[in-house]
Amino acid sequence: MTTGRSTQNYEQLLCALVSEGLSRAENGVLLQVAEGLWFESWVPDLSQLPEDLRHDAGYVLDRLARFNVVEKEQKQRVLFAIGPYKPNSSELSARHKDRLANEWGASEELTPRIPELMPYQTRQYGRERLRAAT
C-alpha cells in the first residue's frame, strides 16, 4: 500500500544515502528511506542498486526493518527481499560494534544516526502522517 513516493523513488533515495555515506548523508534522506520502509510498505529491490552499494544498503534496510514500528509482515517482506544480498558468514569482519554492520560488511554504522529517527518511529506518527496525506 504505497501511498507516497514510488518504489523507484525510494530506491533512488536509498542509493543517494549509501553512496554519500551514512555519516555524511542529509538527515532528510535517511528519514525518507525510513518512512518508506516503516509507513509506505516499501519493499526494496537491491538489484536496482550498483553492486558496490548493496552491502551498505542491505545493512541500513535490515537495521530499519528491526524497529518496533515495523509491522511483522512488512519486516518479513523486507528481510526476505534483502536476504539474497547478505554476504556469507565467512566474509564477516568485526570492525563495528553493531553486529548487523559486521554481518553485512557495511562500511559504517547507522547507530550514530538513530537518535534523529527516534521522533518518527511511532505508529502514532505514522497515523498522523497518513491523515495529513488524505
Side-chain angles (χ1 to χ4, degrees), residues 1-2 6 8 10 12 15 19 24 42 48 51 58 84 88 90-91 97 100 112 117 121-122 126:
M1 170 191 93
T2 301
S6 70
Q8 182 180 13
Y10 281 121
Q12 289 170 346
C15 187
S19 63
R24 295 175 302 285
W42 168 53
Q48 300 301 308
E51 192 171 336
N88 290 326
S90 62
E91 300 173 20
K97 290 181 181 180
L100 280 177
L117 296 175
Q121 64 165 331
T122 66

Side-chain angles (χ1 to χ4, degrees), residues 17 23-33 113 116-117:
L17 175 68
S23 62
R24 295 175 302 285
E26 293 180 33
N27 294 359
V29 175
L30 174 58
L31 177 58
Q32 290 175 69
V33 168
R113 305 281 314 258
E116 71 195 61
L117 296 175

Side-chain angles (χ1 to χ4, degrees), residues 31-126:
L31 177 58
Q32 290 175 69
V33 168
E35 286 179 332
L37 200 72
W38 295 345
F39 306 118
E40 298 289 332
S41 300
W42 168 53
V43 177
D45 179 1
L46 292 184
S47 72
Q48 300 301 308
L49 274 68
E51 192 171 336
D52 62 324
L53 299 178
R54 291 178 187 165
H55 289 182
D56 284 339
Y59 161 64
V60 167
L61 296 166
D62 195 339
R63 185 77 192 272
L64 292 174
R66 294 171 190 272
F67 279 65
N68 288 333
V69 70
V70 181
E71 300 291 337
K72 181 181 176 182
E73 297 79 18
Q74 172 66 357
K75 177 181 176 178
Q76 290 172 337
R77 285 190 298 267
V78 170
L79 294 179
F80 181 79
I82 65 176
Y85 299 94
K86 196 170 189 178
N88 290 326
S89 59
S90 62
E91 300 173 20
L92 295 181
S93 70
R95 62 183 190 168
H96 301 294
K97 290 181 181 180
D98 183 342
R99 177 187 55 83
L100 280 177
N102 290 326
E103 288 179 11
W104 278 96
S107 60
E108 29 181 348
E109 291 187 43
L110 185 60
T111 306
R113 305 281 314 258
I114 298 298
E116 71 195 61
L117 296 175
M118 298 304 276
Y120 309 101
Q121 64 165 331
T122 66
R123 289 189 176 91
Q124 179 182 346
Y125 172 77

